[in-house]
Amino acid sequence: MRRGVARAQPVLEHRVRASDEADLLIHGARLLTLAPLRREAPRTGPVASELGVVEDGWVAARDGVIVATGRGTTWQRLELSAGTVERSVQGRVAMPGFVDAHTHLCYAGERWDEFTTRKSGADYLSVLERGGGIHSTVRATREAADETLLALVRRRLAGAMAQGTTTIEVKSGYGLEPDEELRQLRLIARLRDEAAIDIAPTYLAAHALPGRYVEDRKGFLREIEQALQVVAAERLAEAVDAFVEKGVFEADEVRPFFTAARKLGLALTAHVDQLNDVGGAAWAARLGARSADHVANASADGLRALAKAGTVAVLLPGSAFFVGYTPPEARRFITARVPVAIATDHNPGTSPLEGMPSAIAMAAVLCGLTPQEAIVAATVNAAHALGRGDRTGALVEGRRADIVVLDTDDERDLAYRLGAPLVREVYASGRRVAERPDA
Ligand code: NIG
Ligand code: FE
């Protein structure tokens, strides 16, 4: 039996038309549609917890796109094609595939030593200052041959997918020197072409200052600005990113790079106010950034600016957990009506998380999102953070059939049963891409 639904949820029911043909049908589900309430927009404030639940619901797709959703046995009026995949999921939760809006999947080498030193007291930014941290991953990644790097990223993508991720952002950022960044972006582009899930590539140009530019910061910033021409011409990235932090890059010095990127049609996203309040949230919002990420130390002014601009705050509880700094307080963001998304921030330094279910549980336990808010933050709001708010993140006619079936009849388990293998079946664009052997 269902265990307590907090309050009545809006139900959108599609009228099945005789012409509706399907090649994928999932029925008998507790369906979380996350259907738009009024207009296509990230959810904020009081509606940031609306999941659009349909009990005994179904969803049907054809050629990778959702054609209809409904309740009960109305799916019987659908026309099914010969090879239709039909699943009766017996009360289990079916929901949109997760959108992981912030990852650094493209790297070689792990940072076990640094992890160990930090756990015995060393500070993240001082390790970086001494040429370790990001720089050590840069060395390992530069040394990795294309095929080696591709194999590593493929394995991580498969891990994310098995845990329900159907859309994922992948940043460069472990090249630093533009030529090496371009190599990594070209490899990410190859993966984007072959992957079963949707990859959103980001040029993380200003992640750390390469050693040889220590006396010439301006020179480095000029170089990355020049690289934008190639990035745009070869369509290697949808967005650009920078690490704006004390002792790393200052907002003012990154501004010309961001402005140039925006002129070329690239979206903006930034690592801001992660360890210190550097006014990064307000800065990103004013530049029209699509998202401001980390924001654990963002000021009240910063939050107001994000809300006003509609910039999505991407909370990354995994890095707060692994590094051990104070996590972002989600309630401040929800109360200020800032759109909130969550992501794994998968990277070898601050967050080795691969799957969104762990990020959801951590967002609830560490940041104080309700389980429902965390689910919104991992689906529809995260889709907006990647400029895909009208393509995925909800089970609605016309969207990509990105669907996850959980091994539970209560979605709150995602936040509650940390580490439990809850993801049972995963469909990306209507194709089954992962399934637990016992499903
Ligand atoms: O999101 N803070 C900047 N970038 C990453 C960590 C990168 C690293 O330590 O390798 C982050 O936490
Ligand atoms: Fe990050």
Side-chain angles (χ1 to χ4, degrees):
M1 275 323 288
R2 290 278 329 122
R3 289 164 264 149
V5 179
R7 63 183 142 130
Q9 302 272 7
V11 168
L12 296 181
E13 188 143 5
H14 174 92
R15 221 173 262 280
V16 180
R17 292 180 295 247
S19 61
D20 280 338
E21 260 183 63
D23 54 25
L24 169 67
L25 169 66
I26 295 170
H27 56 82
R30 174 172 164 85
L31 197 70
L32 316 186
T33 65
L34 280 295
L37 297 169
R38 284 174 294 276
R39 61 196 174 88
E40 219 57 81
R43 293 187 183 191
T44 59
V47 298
S49 56
E50 296 291 349
L51 301 180
V53 177
V54 182
E55 290 294 354
D56 192 13
W58 57 262
V59 53
R62 191 185 59 209
D63 297 333
V65 177
I66 296 174
V67 289
T69 59
R71 190 204 300 271
T73 52
T74 48
W75 58 266
Q76 286 168 351
R77 299 205 290 269
L78 289 168
E79 228 172 273
L80 302 182
S81 45
T84 301
V85 173
E86 184 192 335
R87 309 287 281 177
S88 162
V89 298
Q90 298 166 326
R92 292 186 177 87
V93 171
M95 61 177 293
F98 301 119
V99 178
D100 192 346
H102 180 138
T103 85
H104 307 248
L105 240 51
C106 189
Y107 65 88
E110 300 298 341
R111 304 235 293 270
W112 297 300
D113 290 345
E114 177 195 328
F115 180 67
T116 312
T117 349
R118 279 200 282 108
K119 287 301 128 190
S120 51
D123 164 75
Y124 178 78
L125 287 176
S126 21
V127 173
L128 177 63
E129 212 180 323
R130 289 198 303 269
I134 293 173
H135 294 290
S136 64
T137 301
V138 167
R139 288 188 287 272
T141 309
R142 282 185 190 161
E143 276 164 26
D146 289 0
E147 286 309 320
T148 311
L149 203 46
L150 284 170
L152 287 166
V153 185
R154 273 190 201 111
R155 197 192 68 206
R156 293 176 191 130
L157 285 169
M161 195 165 81
Q163 297 192 59
T165 298
T166 50
T167 305
I168 193 165
E169 189 242 22
V170 178
K171 299 178 195 296
S172 65
Y174 290 117
L176 307 185
E177 302 272 359
D179 279 354
E180 179 61 19
E181 286 290 323
L182 291 173
R183 174 178 82 109
Q184 294 177 20
L185 285 168
R186 289 185 185 114
L187 294 178
I188 297 169
R190 271 172 70 182
L191 294 164
R192 181 188 53 191
D193 294 342
E194 71 176 45
I197 62 175
D198 182 18
I199 294 180
T202 297
Y203 175 28
L204 170 47
H207 199 192
L209 190 70
R212 73 184 177 100
Y213 288 96
V214 171
E215 302 301 324
D216 183 21
R217 301 179 68 85
K218 284 210 172 96
F220 177 68
L221 290 151
R222 266 197 312 273
E223 292 266 322
I224 61 174
E225 203 175 315
Q226 277 162 15
L228 281 176
Q229 300 299 332
V230 184
V231 171
E234 290 184 36
R235 294 178 181 276
L236 292 174
E238 296 177 13
V240 294
D241 193 351
F243 184 17
V244 177
E245 179 59 69
K246 241 187 208 166
V248 189
F249 287 102
E250 281 175 27
D252 281 345
E253 60 185 358
V254 177
R255 187 179 289 111
F257 169 73
F258 266 31
T259 311
R262 204 176 48 195
K263 278 202 193 119
L264 288 166
L266 291 154
L268 310 179
T269 177
H271 287 67
V272 287
D273 303 338
Q274 177 178 6
L275 301 153
N276 298 283
D277 173 18
V278 295
W283 169 81
R286 282 195 213 103
L287 279 174
R290 196 159 66 184
S291 77
D293 300 24
H294 281 293
V295 291
N297 294 286
S299 65
D301 271 356
L303 268 54
R304 268 191 294 275
L306 293 174
K308 190 162 165 232
T311 299
V312 181
V314 180
L315 309 186
L316 306 165
S319 56
F321 175 76
F322 282 99
V323 178
Y325 61 82
T326 310
E329 263 175 65
R331 205 49 42 204
R332 294 177 64 221
F333 292 81
I334 300 280
T335 310
R337 302 202 172 213
V338 176
V340 172
I342 55 178
T344 60
D345 193 17
H346 178 100
N347 76 80
T350 67
S351 183
L353 287 192
E354 238 163 46
M356 287 297 284
S358 304
I360 291 175
M362 289 185 181
V365 175
L366 298 177
C367 308
L369 283 175
T370 65
Q372 291 84 355
E373 287 164 347
I375 289 169
V376 167
T379 53
V380 62
N381 281 10
H384 281 284
L386 292 182
R388 284 158 167 73
D390 57 353
R391 269 182 271 167
T392 188
L395 303 183
V396 192
E397 185 188 350
R399 303 237 180 161
R400 221 159 50 204
D402 294 339
I403 307 166
V404 166
V405 178
L406 301 180
D407 206 4
T408 176
D409 65 355
D410 195 318
E411 59 281 0
R412 289 174 296 186
D413 268 344
L414 283 169
Y416 190 58
R417 289 173 58 202
L418 174 63
L422 289 167
V423 173
R424 189 180 152 93
E425 296 168 43
V426 185
Y427 300 83
S429 293
R431 243 182 74 207
R432 189 157 56 220
V433 292
E435 181 177 18
R436 261 184 25 199
D438 56 333

